[in-house]
């Protein structure tokens, strides 16, 4: 067993391959093995060495290509074979990406690792629809929330919608499309104005990007009408209305 194996938990960014960091790009070009997810742009695989080992472990909502424990076992095995392994994850590895769980497993097994941050979906999507997540006039904080409280069958974390409804912070919801109606109702019931602007961005920063704007009271209907679904982020707050005048990205399909 070689001791020089190492795992790099690399964020791929939200879609546009050019949004990866230079460090992530360098590691992809040189690594011995890559373990990658569903939301990772396949254009990035063209940077790999021809002899680089490729492992697709992608997931879709409710449909796991490979259970998390097996992904972690795979990372440990590849590193123990002495390989330089890139664990390529959509967005940032430490934002709703289970990167923390993978790092803990690697640490437990004494495997060396590094974490390479990246543009998380909230930042990429907001930028590409022209929504500044903070703005001196409208919002001085931003909160990332997972709308999917029970990924897999793990512990349910209670989200305090009341405190979010009252905070004045821009809210960005990940994994929320399946529960959008309930979340909008919760926020309205707990004091957020029904006319609060909302912008939903599907496949942000990719050629498939689509967005729908509305208000807390009508966004569910608008999203249904447009047929917009996962992967999407939901941006809630006064800044969401600015996308109408600041948008600049023309997706080309
Ligand atoms: N680690 C990732 C998030 C993984 S959770 C990150 O930092 O971005 C998966 C969720 O991220 C999706 O359900 C969706 O809410 C969001 N997401 C990821 N890529 C996206 C994209 N290109 N456009 C819109 N939402 C995206």
């Amino acid at each position: 067993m070689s001791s020089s194996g190492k795992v790099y938990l690399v964020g791929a960014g939200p879609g546009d391959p050019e949004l990866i960091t230079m460090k992530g790009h360098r590691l992809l070009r040189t690594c011995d093995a890559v373990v990658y997810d569903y939301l990772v742009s396949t254009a990035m695989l063209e940077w790999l060495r021809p002899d680089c080992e490729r492992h697709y472990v992608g997931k879709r909502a409710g449909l796991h290509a490979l259970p998390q424990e097996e992904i972690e076992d795979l990372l440990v095995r590849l590193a123990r074979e002495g390989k330089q392994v890139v664990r390529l994850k959509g967005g940032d590895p430490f934002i709703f990406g289970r990167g923390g769980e993978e790092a803990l497993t690697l640490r437990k097994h004494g495997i060396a690792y590094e974490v390479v941050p990246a543009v998380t979906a909230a930042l990429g999507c907001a930028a590409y629809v022209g929504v500044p997540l903070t703005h001196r006039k409208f919002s001085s904080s931003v909160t990332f929330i997972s709308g999917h409280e029970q990924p897999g069958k793990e512990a349910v974390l209670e989200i305090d919608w009341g405190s979010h409804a009252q905070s004045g912070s821009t809210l960005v919801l990940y994994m929320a499309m399946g529960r959008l109606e309930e979340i909008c109702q919760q926020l309205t019931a707990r004091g957020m104005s029904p006319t609060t602007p909302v912008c939903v961005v599907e496949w942000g920063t990719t050629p498939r990007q689509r967005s729908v704007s509305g208000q807390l009271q009508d966004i569910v209907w608008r999203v249904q009408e447009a047929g917009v679904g996962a992967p999407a982020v939901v941006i809630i707050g006064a800044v969401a209305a600015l996308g109408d005048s600041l948008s600049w990205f023309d997706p080309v399909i």
Side-chain angles (χ1 to χ4, degrees):
M1 180 182 103
S2 160
S3 58
S4 59
K6 187 165 183 176
V7 176
Y8 297 87
L9 300 174
V10 177
D16 181 344
E18 287 192 315
L19 291 179
I20 196 169
T21 60
M22 291 181 76
K23 186 166 183 176
H25 180 244
R26 172 174 62 77
L27 290 166
L28 279 174
R29 284 190 301 129
T30 54
C31 66
D32 302 310
V34 66
V35 178
Y36 64 101
D37 278 344
Y38 162 58
L39 287 174
V40 162
S41 160
T42 48
M44 292 183 183
L45 304 179
E46 289 167 21
W47 304 333
L48 300 171
R49 288 188 349 228
D51 60 337
C52 177
E53 234 180 84
R54 294 148 203 242
H55 298 268
Y56 175 69
V57 294
K59 309 163 189 177
R60 285 163 178 270
L63 215 163
H64 289 220
L66 206 63
Q68 184 65 20
E69 311 76 61
E70 288 180 37
I71 295 175
E72 291 169 17
D73 289 348
L74 176 64
L75 295 176
V76 169
R77 175 171 69 76
L78 292 169
R80 288 206 168 131
E81 288 169 4
K83 294 181 173 128
Q84 301 295 301
V85 184
V86 168
R87 169 70 176 111
L88 189 62
K89 303 173 77 70
D92 179 273
F94 275 6
I95 299 285
F96 306 131
R98 307 184 80 164
E101 294 166 45
E102 293 174 13
L104 279 168
T105 300
L106 294 169
R107 173 57 48 91
K108 195 176 84 189
H109 287 86
I111 308 277
Y113 65 87
E114 284 187 32
V115 184
V116 182
V119 176
T120 189
L123 306 186
C125 292
Y128 277 49
V129 292
V131 169
L133 291 176
T134 66
H135 184 294
R136 283 196 298 165
K137 276 194 192 151
F138 304 111
S139 170
S140 54
S141 64
V142 53
T143 308
F144 300 158
I145 305 171
S146 164
H148 188 188
E149 296 178 66
Q150 201 173 6
K153 289 194 177 62
E154 283 139 36
V156 178
L157 294 176
E158 279 297 326
I159 293 177
D160 181 358
W161 293 109
S163 72
H164 291 307
Q166 308 280 340
S167 69
S169 177
T170 303
L171 307 181
V172 186
L173 310 179
Y174 289 63
M175 298 175 279
M177 297 310 279
R179 296 183 57 213
L180 189 57
E181 185 164 10
E182 184 192 336
I183 293 168
C184 290
Q185 278 166 1
Q186 289 271 359
L187 289 170
T188 315
R190 285 152 208 263
M192 189 179 260
S193 165
T195 60
T196 304
V198 182
C199 178
V200 176
V201 190
E202 177 195 59
W203 285 111
T205 83
T206 77
R208 298 164 69 176
Q209 176 175 309
R210 291 196 297 161
S211 61
V212 179
S213 301
Q215 299 179 336
L216 206 51
Q217 62 192 353
D218 63 15
I219 195 67
V220 171
W221 171 78
R222 287 179 187 273
V223 157
Q224 275 166 4
E225 196 188 50
V228 160
V233 294
V234 183
I235 306 171
I236 305 175
V239 292
L242 294 175
D244 295 336
S245 44
L246 294 178
S247 87
W248 55 272
F249 177 60
D250 273 328
V252 185
I253 303 202

